[in-house]
DNA sequence: GCCAACGTTGGC
DNA sequence: GCCAACGTTGGC
């Protein structure tokens, strides 16, 4: 089992939005960065995914989800009306993938980015590195445990 | 709203 | 293949 973190803008899709989906889960689409897409493709069923709120007043880790469906073709890339439309992507050779996540829990508190940056155990993680814009971030088992420890 | 950092595009 | 210009991300 692997560990990940995904960024989401709470105005668009918050941890509550994911929770409201229940067993149906949430299709995680709209990723339009090759490095992030490659990480999506590495995800396996049952992988644990930290949910991170970005581009808002309180940025940080808010909860946990689980991968319930591995990478499939993101249909939005072929939808001209979608903001995620990609004119250069062809059905016979799709560029972008999506996955499905299911809600697991909301943490007792939001773990702010500032606190993550102070943790020596997380210093090597891309999330806390200056200028990092990766929206799908791999976590080692140790880094994942460090996050849980900070929450206690 | 500002701006640093980054990825992508496209001319050459 | 280089690299300048541009658009986007995302914290603050």
């Amino acid at each position: 089992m692997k560990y990940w973190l995904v960024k989401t803008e709470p105005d668009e899709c918050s941890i509550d939005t994911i929770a409201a989906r229940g067993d149906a889960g949430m299709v995680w689409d709209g990723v339009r960065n090759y490095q992030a897409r490659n990480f999506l493709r590495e995800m396996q069923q049952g992988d644990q995914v930290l949910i991170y709120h970005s581009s808002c007043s309180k940025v940080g880790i808010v909860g946990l989800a689980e991968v319930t469906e591995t990478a499939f073709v993101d249909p939005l890339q072929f939808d001209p009306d979608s903001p995620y439309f990609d004119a250069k992507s062809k059905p016979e050779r799709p560029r972008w993938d999506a996955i499905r996540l299911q809600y697991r829990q909301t943490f007792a508190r939001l773990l702010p980015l500032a606190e993550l940056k102070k943790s020596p155990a997380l210093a090597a993680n891309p999330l806390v590195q200056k200028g990092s814009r990766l929206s799908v971030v791999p976590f080692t088992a140790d880094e994942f445990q460090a996050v849980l420890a900070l929450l206690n």
Side-chain angles (χ1 to χ4, degrees):
Chain A
M1 194 214 299
K2 290 184 181 174
Y3 301 93
W4 310 91
L5 175 147
V6 294
K7 296 179 182 174
T8 180
E9 298 187 17
D11 290 348
E12 305 285 327
C13 171
S14 72
I15 186 72
D16 292 338
T17 314
I18 302 168
R21 293 302 182 100
D23 291 346
M26 178 108 215
V27 172
W28 208 260
D29 50 20
V31 170
R32 294 293 179 268
N33 168 281
Y34 287 105
Q35 199 180 353
R37 180 207 65 184
N38 292 342
F39 286 133
L40 285 185
R41 289 180 173 176
E42 287 182 31
M43 290 186 180
Q44 297 292 315
Q45 191 128 355
D47 282 4
Q48 301 295 295
V49 183
L50 296 163
I51 305 297
Y52 176 95
H53 284 176
S54 73
S55 297
C56 59
S57 58
K58 292 166 73 178
V59 296
I61 294 171
V62 291
L64 185 67
E66 184 174 317
V67 177
T68 54
E69 187 177 348
T70 56
F72 54 94
V73 174
D74 179 351
L76 298 181
Q77 65 196 303
F78 306 124
D79 178 0
D81 297 325
S82 167
Y84 300 114
F85 177 65
D86 183 350
K88 294 182 179 172
S89 187
K90 301 298 167 198
E92 61 271 21
R93 188 185 273 248
R95 286 187 172 184
W96 307 113
D97 283 17
I99 54 149
R100 186 182 301 270
L101 291 179
Q102 195 173 112
Y103 175 79
R104 281 295 171 265
Q105 64 168 311
T106 301
F107 294 136
R109 68 183 180 99
L110 179 142
L111 186 54
L113 177 60
E115 205 170 324
L116 299 170
K117 284 181 172 171
K118 286 185 206 157
S119 166
L122 296 174
N125 189 278
L127 181 71
V128 300
Q129 277 157 22
K130 190 180 177 187
S132 171
R133 291 163 42 177
L134 204 52
S135 60
V136 180
V137 185
F139 268 61
T140 66
D142 286 347
E143 287 168 342
F144 184 79
Q145 291 305 322
V147 167
L148 298 186
L150 286 172
L151 284 160
N152 288 330

